[in-house]
Amino acid sequence: MRQGATAQGVRVVVVEPGFVSTELTSHITDPAIQSAAKNIAESMRTLQSEDIAAAVLYALTQPEHVAVNEILIRPTDQTR
């Protein structure tokens, strides 16, 4: 996507968030997976939506000649 869009002046950023505190775990229907997700979340200081928003804002507010291609953002406590 980036290769095709760059010629039109469009910057593409891939945002790869780690474990973010969201309602996602409440949508998991498998009890074992839901429990595992809950345990993982309780084992660390999870990211908040504001953390992801700040990373995206950083990428979007760079000068026109700067392309932030990828953002991998994880909680410092996340080991997997």
Side-chain angles (χ1 to χ4, degrees):
M1 179 183 254
R2 183 180 302 113
Q3 289 175 336
T6 299
Q8 284 77 39
V10 176
R11 296 182 288 182
V12 177
V13 182
V14 176
V15 180
E16 304 169 77
F19 209 100
V20 182
S21 179
T22 68
E23 77 286 346
L24 176 64
T25 55
S26 66
H27 298 285
I28 299 172
T29 57
D30 183 307
I33 296 175
Q34 188 175 42
S35 177
K38 182 180 177 186
N39 290 339
I40 292 169
E42 290 173 351
S43 73
M44 71 180 84
R45 296 168 292 171
T46 57
L47 296 173
Q48 302 300 307
S49 58
E50 295 84 3
D51 301 321
I52 306 304
V56 171
L57 182 62
Y58 166 79
L60 294 176
T61 57
Q62 294 308 298
E64 187 175 305
H65 69 284
V66 175
V68 177
N69 295 317
E70 296 177 58
I71 299 176
L72 174 59
I73 179 170
R74 293 178 139 187
T76 54
D77 303 337
Q78 185 172 344
T79 58
R80 49 186 160 142

